Amino acid sequence: MISEWDVIWLVWAVGTAYRAPRTLKRWSLITTCDPLELCDGCRDERKSVMREAHDWDHFGPVGVPLLVLLEAMGWYIRPFSPAFRKAVGKDPLPTCSKGACLAHTRRKAAA
């Protein structure tokens, strides 16, 4: 018999499995691009990703996959992040301006 917790666990696991490759692709885009060609939101995200990756270096080759997995595990919290930040009095995080941002247009990074 499947309990309600099994269903919740399954939904969470599927969401994490779906989100992990997308997170890795997004981080790959913003870390391989020239920071000058990124918008403010993507530049801030790039800085944060690079800082976190540096913090996880002591795990060796497993550090980055663990970091991606941890980011993907919080997929259900992401929509509530602006409300949480507002509740504690922090400014909202900058978002991608989309227009000419290299990370949004998904063009190849400059070599």
Side-chain angles (χ1 to χ4, degrees):
M1 184 80 180
I2 296 178
S3 71
E4 59 274 355
W5 288 107
D6 292 336
V7 173
I8 291 170
W9 167 250
L10 182 62
V11 168
W12 177 79
V14 168
T16 299
Y18 175 74
R19 192 77 189 144
R22 296 172 62 97
T23 300
L24 190 58
K25 183 177 181 182
R26 170 80 178 148
W27 286 356
S28 174
L29 278 171
I30 64 171
T31 57
T32 57
C33 292
D34 180 16
L36 298 176
E37 295 180 4
L38 297 174
C39 66
D40 290 340
C42 291
R43 197 173 304 124
D44 287 349
E45 184 180 356
R46 180 183 194 275
K47 205 180 305 180
S48 171
V49 167
M50 299 295 267
R51 191 176 305 121
E52 287 178 19
H54 182 358
D55 292 343
W56 283 73
D57 271 351
H58 65 277
F59 284 109
V62 197
V64 173
L66 280 175
L67 184 60
V68 170
L69 188 59
L70 283 174
E71 177 70 23
M73 285 177 167
W75 61 268
Y76 58 94
I77 296 174
R78 174 85 72 195
F80 303 110
S81 179
F84 291 149
R85 291 186 66 81
K86 188 175 182 179
V88 295
K90 291 188 175 183
D91 291 333
L93 292 173
T95 57
C96 183
S97 64
K98 308 232 180 198
C101 180
L102 189 65
H104 178 72
T105 58
R106 291 181 168 76
R107 295 182 311 218
K108 292 241 178 195

